[in-house]
C-alpha cells in the first residue's frame, strides 16, 4: 500500500535540518508521498526508514528488461488493474518463434518474415518485439549459431527457449544483447545459474500459481534476480485466470514473492490467437506465438496499440498547415481535426488523389470530426479563427475551403465569419481522390482586393 | 502450501435478462453473474451469447464478408434461417437499414413486413434495429412493435427517442436496447429515464456503442469495463447485460483493404479483425455480441464458454 505523508513523516528524523532542500521534514514527507522526491535526498534517515520507503516506492510489479538500446523491451512495471484507473504503461511484448532445426534457407526466410511484421498505424510503428528461438535440433553449436544469426538478421532481442546445454552455448554467443533465458522446467536450476552468472533475465515456467511459487524459490536460491513467470495454462480461459491472479497478487496483495511479469509460450496451444487476443487486455506481459502471418499479427498489434494508449490522452498530432505533395498558391485547402486516426486517414486518402493540397489541422484536443463537433471543438468559429491565424491566407491566393462532409452544417457560419467560400467534401475521406480530381479548374482561382 | 489469491467479492449482481424465442426456439438468457468476465471465480449462471446481424437494404460487402454472407443479400429470412440454423447464432440482430432514405428507402410497412417474415422463418430470439434516420425510425419502431407477433427487443432507445421506443415496446411486451455514445454517465442516465417510464428493468440491455478495433476500441473497452465494475459494485442502473455490436470492426481499412500485400490475406484478416474486436469486448465484460462473419460465431462462442 502507498504510504501517506504522515506515515512517512513518522519515519523521518524530524530534525528539520534542511539537507534535503526542504525547510522541514514534514514538507519533505509530502514531497515523498507525491512521488516528487526520493529518500536518498535525506542523508540522516535511518537504514530502516530508507528500506521501508524505497520498498513502498518500488512499483508493485517490478520491471524486467530484455534486449538493449533502442530495441529494449520493458516488461511489467504496471500499477493498476484497470486501465481507466490510470493507464497501462508497458505494452504486451510479442515474440514470434523460429526454430533452429529449419534448413538454413528456411531459417533465413523465417527471420525475414518476422522482421516484416512491422506496420505503421496512426503515425506510430507497431511491430513484433522479439524473436523466440526454439531449440528443435538439440545441438548446442547449431543453436548458438542460430541465435547469433537471428540477432544479426532482425536486430530484435531474443527469447532463448532451450534446454540447459544449448542455452549455455547461446548465452556465450549473444549474452551482450541481453536475451531472455527460457529453459524448460526440468532445467530450471542450471538455467537460473546461467542467468545469475550473466545477469540476464530468466523465465520461470511451472504449472499454475502454486507451482510457480515453488519454482521461483528455487530460481532465486540459484541467484537469478530478474524474473518473468509462465504458469503454463492449457486453455485460453485458464491463461486469463492465471494472468489476472498474478497481477492481482502483485497489485492488491503486494505479494513480492509472486510479483513478476507474466510470459506465455502459446506454441502448442489449442488456439493461440484467441489466447493472445485475450491476454493483451488481460495482463500478459510477454506472448510467444508461432504464427508469423500478418493477417493475425496486425489485429493483435492494433489491439495492443489501442489498449496501451493513455485513456486520458488520445494519440494526436500538432495542429498546423501540412503539405500534401508539393502544393502552391492555387492548390486546394482542406481542413480536418488533430486526432491522429483522422489525420492519417485523411492524409493517406489525400495523397492517393495525387493532387497537391494544403491540409489544415485544427486543434480539437485529439478528437475525431464528429466527436469534436459534438464537443464544440470543431465549429464555424474555431475554423474561421484558424483560417485567419494559421498563415494560409498568405500562402494561397484563393479563398476556398474543402470541409469534411460530416460537418456540412458548418459551412454557412464559416463563410459568414471568414469570408472564405466553402465546398462540402465527401463524408468519407476515401472518396477524396475522385472528389479532388473532379473539382472544376476554376474552383481555386485567386481573389483580389 | 497453496497461495492465497486476492479474489474480489462484489456486493452487486448483474440482472439476468432473457431475449425471448418463438415456439420451439431457445431463449437467450444473459447476466446473473456476480464476478468479472472469463474468470472461474464467482457465479456465472449464463455465458455470454453470440448472435449475428441480418441486414436489409443494399450493402457493399468487404472481401471477407462477401464470400460468406454475400449469397444472402436481399434475402433476410433465408439469412436468418442460415444464421440460427447452420452458423450457430443464438440470436439475430435484424437491422432495417433498408428503410434509410439513402439506402433505397423501403417503406415503414415494408420494414415491418420483413420483421414478420424473419420472425416466422426462425424461432431464434430477435433484436430489431432501426435504420439510423431519426425521422424514419420514429415511425418505424412503433410499426415494428405492432407487427412483431412475438416479443423482440427494439434497438435502440436513446436520449431523443426513448419515450417513443419504450412506449411502443411497453404496449406490445417487447424489450429495449438502451443506447448511449461511449459514455458511462449517459448509459446510466438512459436506464434511469427508462425506469421513470416504468419500463421493466429485466427487459433492458445496455449498448454502449462499440468502436471497432483500431477505431475507438480503446474507448469502448474501458467504458464496458467501467459499466461492469459499477454494476458489480452495486450501481443498480448499470447492473445490466451489455451488448456489443461488432459491425464497426468492418469500418477499419485494415479489415477490408486488399491492396496492402504486407498486411496478409484480406479474407483472413477481416475475419480476425472482427474476432479480435469481439474478444476485447468479452474481456471487458460484454454479454451479447453481434457479429457479421459466420466464423466469428463459433470462435467467440468458444471463448465465451468455460
Ligand atoms: C471513439 C468515439 C468517441 C471517443 C473520442 C474519440 C476521439 N478521439 O475523437 C469518446 C468516447 C471520448 C467520444 C466522446 C464523445 N462522443 Co463520440 N464517437 C466516437 C466514435 C465511436 C468513433 C469516432 C472516430 O474515431 N471516428 C474515426 C475518424 C477517423 O472519423 P472522422 O474523424 O469523422 O473522419 C472521417 C470523416 O469525417 C472524413 N473526414 C475527416 N476529415 C476530413 C476532411 C475532409 C476535407 C474530408 C472531405 C473528409 C474528412 O474522413 C474520415 C474517414 O472516413 C463515433 C461513432 C462512429 N462509429 O463513428 C462517436 C461519435 C462521433 N461521438 C458522438 C458523441 C455525441 C460524443 C459525445 C458528445 C458524447 C458525450 N456526451 O459524451 C462525446 C464528445 C466528447 C467530449 N469530450 O465531450 C457522436 C456524434 C453525434 C453526431 N452525429 O454528431 C458519434 C457519431 C456517435 C453517435 N452515433 O452518436 N466519442
Ligand atoms: S534532510 Fe531529512 S532530516 Fe533533514 S529536513 Fe530533510 S527530511 Fe528532515
Amino acid at each position: 500500500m502507498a504510504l501517506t505523508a504522515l506515515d512517512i513523516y513518522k519515519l523521518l528524523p524530524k530534525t528539520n535540518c534542511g539537507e534535503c532542500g526542504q525547510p522541514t521534514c514534514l514538507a519533505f514527507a509530502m514531497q515523498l508521498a507525491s512521488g516528487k522526491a526520493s529518500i536518498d535526498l535525506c542523508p540522516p534517515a535511518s537504514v530502516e526508514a530508507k528500506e521501508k520507503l524505497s520498498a513502498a516506492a518500488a512499483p508493485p510489479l517490478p520491471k524486467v528488461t530484455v534486449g538493449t538500446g533502442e530495441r529494449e523491451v520493458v516488461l511489467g512495471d504496471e500499477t493498476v488493474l484497470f486501465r481507466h484507473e490510470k493507464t497501462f504503461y508497458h505494452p504486451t511484448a510479442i515474440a514470434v518463434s523460429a526454430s533452429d532445426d529449419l534448413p538454413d534457407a528456411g531459417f533465413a526466410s523465417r527471420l525475414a518474415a518476422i522482421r516484416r511484421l512491422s506496420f505503421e498505424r496512426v503515425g506510430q510503428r507497431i511491430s513484433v518485439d522479439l524473436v523466440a528461438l526454439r531449440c528443435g535440433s538439440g545441438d548446442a553449436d547449431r543453436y548458438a549459431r542460430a541465435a547469433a544469426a537471428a540477432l544479426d538478421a532482425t536486430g530484435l532481442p531474443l527469447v532463448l527457449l532451450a534446454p540447459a546445454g544449448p542455452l549455455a552455448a547461446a548465452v556465450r554467443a549473444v549474452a551482450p544483447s541481453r536475451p531472455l533465458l527460457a529453459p524448460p522446467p526440468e532445467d530450471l536450476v542450471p538455467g537460473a545459474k546461467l542467468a545469475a552468472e550473466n545477469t540476464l533475465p530468466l523465465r520461470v515456467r511451472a504449472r499454475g500459481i502454486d507451482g510457480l511459487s515453488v519454482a521461483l524459490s528455487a530460481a532465486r536460491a540459484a541467484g537469478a534476480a530478474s524474473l518473468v513467470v509462465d504458469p503454463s495454462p492449457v486453455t485460453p480461459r485458464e491463461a486469463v485466470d492465471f494472468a489476472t491472479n498474478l497481477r492481482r497478487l502483485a497489485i492488491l496483495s503486494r505479494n513480492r514473492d509472486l510479483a513478476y511479469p507474466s510470459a506465455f509460450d502459446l506454441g502448442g496451444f489449442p488456439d493461440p490467437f484467441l489466447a493472445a487476443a485475450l491476454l493483451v487486455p488481460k495482463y500478459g506481459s510477454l506472448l510467444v506465438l508461432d504464427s508469423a502471418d500478418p493477417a493475425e499479427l496486425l489485429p493483435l498489434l492494433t489491439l495492443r496499440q489501442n489498449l496501451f494508449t493513455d485513456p486520458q490522452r488520445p494519440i494526436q498530432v500538432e495542429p498546423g498547415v501540412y503539405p500534401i505533395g508539393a502544393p502552391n498558391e492555387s492548390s486546394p485547402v482542406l481542413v480536418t481535426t488533430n486526432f491522429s486516426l483522422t489525420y492519417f486517414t485523411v492524409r493517406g486518402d489525400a495523397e492517393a488523389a495525387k493532387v497537391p493540397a494544403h491540409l489544415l489541422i485544427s486543434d480539437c484536443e485529439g478528437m475525431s470530426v464528429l466527436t469534436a463537433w459534438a464537443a464544440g471543438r470543431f465549429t464555424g468559429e474555431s475554423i474561421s479563427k484558424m483560417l485567419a491565424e494559421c498563415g494560409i491566407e498568405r500562402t494561397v491566393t484563393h479563398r476556398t475551403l474543402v470541409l469534411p462532409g460530416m460537418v456540412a452544417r458548418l459551412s454557412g457560419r464559416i463563410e459568414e465569419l471568414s469570408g472564405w467560400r466553402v465546398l462540402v467534401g465527401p463524408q468519407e475521406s476515401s472518396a477524396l481522390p475522385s472528389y479532388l480530381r473532379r473539382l472544376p479548374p476554376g474552383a481555386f482561382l485567386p481573389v483580389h482586393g | 502450501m497453496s497461495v492465497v489469491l486476492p479474489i474480489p467479492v462484489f456486493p452487486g449482481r448483474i440482472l439476468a435478462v432473457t431475449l425471448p424465442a418463438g415456439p420451439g426456439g431457445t431463449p437467450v438468457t444473459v447476466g446473473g453473474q456476480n464476478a468479472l468476465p472469463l474468470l472461474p471465480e464467482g457465479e456465472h449462471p449464463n455465458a455470454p451469447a453470440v448472435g449475428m446481424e441480418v441486414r436489409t437494404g443494399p450493402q457493399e460487402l468487404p472481401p471477407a464478408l462477401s464470400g460468406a454472407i454475400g449469397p444472402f443479400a436481399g434475402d433476410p429470412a433465408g439469412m436468418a434461417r442460415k444464421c440460427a440454423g447452420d452458423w450457430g447464432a443464438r440470436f439475430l440482430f435484424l437491422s432495417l437499414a433498408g428503410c434509410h432514405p439513402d439506402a433505397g428507402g423501403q417503406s415503414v410497412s415494408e420494414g415491418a413486413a420483413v420483421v414478420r417474415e424473419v420472425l416466422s422463418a426462425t424461432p431464434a430470439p430477435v433484436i430489431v434495429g432501426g435504420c439510423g434516420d431519426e425521422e424514419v425510425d420514429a415511425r418505424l419502431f412503433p410499426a415494428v412493435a405492432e407487427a412483431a407477433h412475438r416479443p423482440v427487443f427494439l434497438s435502440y432507445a436513446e436520449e431523443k427517442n426513448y419515450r417513443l421506443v419504450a412506449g411502443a415496446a411497453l404496449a406490445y411486451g417487447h424489450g429495449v436496447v438502451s443506447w448511449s455514445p461511449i459514455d458511462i454517465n449517459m448509459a446510466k442516465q438512459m436506464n434511469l429515464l427508462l425506469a421513470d417510464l416504468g419500463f421493466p428493468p429485466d427487459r433492458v440491455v445496455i449498448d454502449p456503442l462499440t468502436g471497432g478495433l483500431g477505431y475507438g476500441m480503446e474507448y469502448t473497452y474501458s467504458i464496458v469495463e467501467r459499466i461492469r465494475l459499477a454494476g458489480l459494485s452495486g450501481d443498480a442502473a448499470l447492473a445490466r447485460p451489455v451488448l456489443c455490436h461488432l459491425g464497426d470492426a468492418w469500418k477499419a481499412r485494415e479489415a477490408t483493404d486488399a491492396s496492402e500485400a504486407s498486411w496478409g490475406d484480406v479474407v483472413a484478416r477481416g475475419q480476425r479483425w472482427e474476432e479480435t474486436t469481439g474478444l476485447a469486448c468479452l474481456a471487458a465484460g460484454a454479454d451479447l455480441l453481434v457479429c457479421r462473419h459466420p466464423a466469428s460465431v463459433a470462435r467467440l462462442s468458444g471463448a465465451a464458454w468455460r
Side-chain angles (χ1 to χ4, degrees), chain A residues 233-244 264 266 269-279 282, chain B residues 38-39 279 299 302-305:
Chain A
V234 295
T235 65
R237 296 291 290 274
E238 200 181 43
V240 170
D241 181 25
F242 287 159
T244 302
F264 293 89
L266 301 175
F269 222 69
D271 195 337
F273 180 84
L274 199 144
L278 293 175
L279 286 166
K282 289 296 174 191
Chain B
L38 301 174
L39 297 168
L279 289 168
R299 298 194 46 80
W305 280 104

Side-chain angles (χ1 to χ4, degrees), chain A residues 12-26 28-29 41-45:
Chain A
L12 294 176
K14 302 193 201 66
T15 54
N16 301 334
C17 76
E19 271 193 69
C20 58
Q22 293 297 318
T24 62
C25 294
L26 186 60
F28 184 63
L41 295 173
C42 168

Side-chain angles (χ1 to χ4, degrees), chain B residues 102-131:
Chain B
D102 298 346
Q106 269 186 330
S107 71
V108 161
S109 56
E110 283 169 317
V114 174
V115 172
R116 264 196 305 270
E117 210 186 306
V118 166
L119 290 178
S120 308
T122 158
V126 172
I127 299 174
V128 182
C131 71

Side-chain angles (χ1 to χ4, degrees), chain B residues 132-158:
Chain B
D133 181 277
E134 222 176 284
E135 189 268 321
V136 176
D137 282 349
R139 291 181 287 120
L140 188 56
F141 282 120
V144 167
E146 190 187 341
H149 50 272
R150 60 177 168 94
V152 297
F153 270 56
L154 301 179
S155 171
Y156 40 77
E158 45 105 15

Side-chain angles (χ1 to χ4, degrees), chain A residues 82-84 119 121 210 237 241 248-249 253 258 271 273 277-278 281-282 294-296 299 302-303 306-307 314, chain B residues 2-3 6 8 38 40-41 214 217-219 221-222 225-226 254 262 272-273 276 279 283 299 303-306:
Chain A
F82 302 105
R83 67 190 279 280
H84 61 260
F119 312 90
R121 270 203 95 251
D210 289 334
R237 296 291 290 274
D241 181 25
R248 285 173 175 166
L249 283 164
S253 312
L258 281 159
D271 195 337
F273 180 84
L278 293 175
K282 289 296 174 191
E296 294 199 331
T302 303
L303 179 61
N306 278 180
L307 294 183
Chain B
S2 74
V3 177
L38 301 174
E41 64 207 38
M217 175 46 71
E218 64 273 45
Y219 300 97
Y221 183 85
S222 287
E225 197 162 63
R226 286 174 63 196
E254 290 92 334
S262 67
R272 290 295 190 206
W273 207 264
T276 307
L279 289 168
R299 298 194 46 80
W305 280 104
R306 276 208 236 149

